[in-house]
Amino acid sequence: MAFKLGSRSKGATHAGGVKLVTTPLEKGTVAEARNDGTIAVSPGVKPNSKLMKRVINHEMKHMKDMEEGRAAYGEGWIMWEDKIYLRENGIIDGPNGRWPEGDSNHPWEQEAIAAENNN
């Protein structure tokens, strides 16, 4: 995910009732929706920027999908719409083939990408 699923946090603010934490993330990852109900955001994303708004919308879609039971994840797997897909070394063997985490070919990413420009 140019924004991604799945470190330790510094600083926190709230967006739509979800805690945002600023923390270094894996190279190429801007943000992550986490199982603990937080969204981790890379320190390079400026608060109140257009990118921050897109990131929050994207990750909030993932959070909503997890809350509704459409999506879940753990070490080595992702669940999407009641089907389990294996994840290893940053690659997910998903419904549309083997793609890196965060790739727009994954259906959960397609929906999150579509939500990025929602107000």
Side-chain angles (χ1 to χ4, degrees):
M1 305 170 192
F3 320 120
K4 217 183 216 178
L5 293 175
S7 168
R8 293 166 56 186
S9 59
K10 298 177 188 173
T13 57
H14 295 272
V18 173
K19 184 177 177 182
L20 300 179
V21 293
T22 302
T23 187
L25 300 170
E26 291 178 25
K27 185 177 180 178
T29 301
V30 178
E32 300 173 337
R34 295 183 169 171
N35 281 331
D36 66 1
T38 63
I39 294 174
V41 181
S42 174
V45 180
K46 292 183 171 76
N48 302 318
S49 67
K50 287 182 181 182
L51 176 59
M52 178 64 88
K53 289 175 185 161
R54 284 182 52 219
V55 164
I56 290 171
N57 288 343
H58 182 108
E59 297 306 329
M60 288 296 288
K61 176 62 174 138
H62 289 313
M63 297 295 286
K64 181 179 177 191
D65 288 343
M66 288 189 285
E67 287 173 11
E68 293 174 350
R70 290 184 74 205
Y73 72 94
E75 265 321 296
W77 61 273
I78 289 185
M79 185 278 294
W80 177 249
E81 297 186 336
D82 296 323
K83 293 185 180 158
I84 303 291
Y85 301 99
L86 299 180
R87 170 172 68 165
E88 186 174 8
N89 298 321
I91 303 293
I92 301 168
D93 202 3
N96 296 333
R98 292 177 51 85
W99 298 99
E101 292 184 37
D103 192 281
S104 63
N105 285 298
H106 296 301
W108 52 87
E109 290 302 333
Q110 292 168 0
E111 291 189 18
I113 290 166
E116 288 179 17
N117 293 314
N118 292 346
N119 293 327

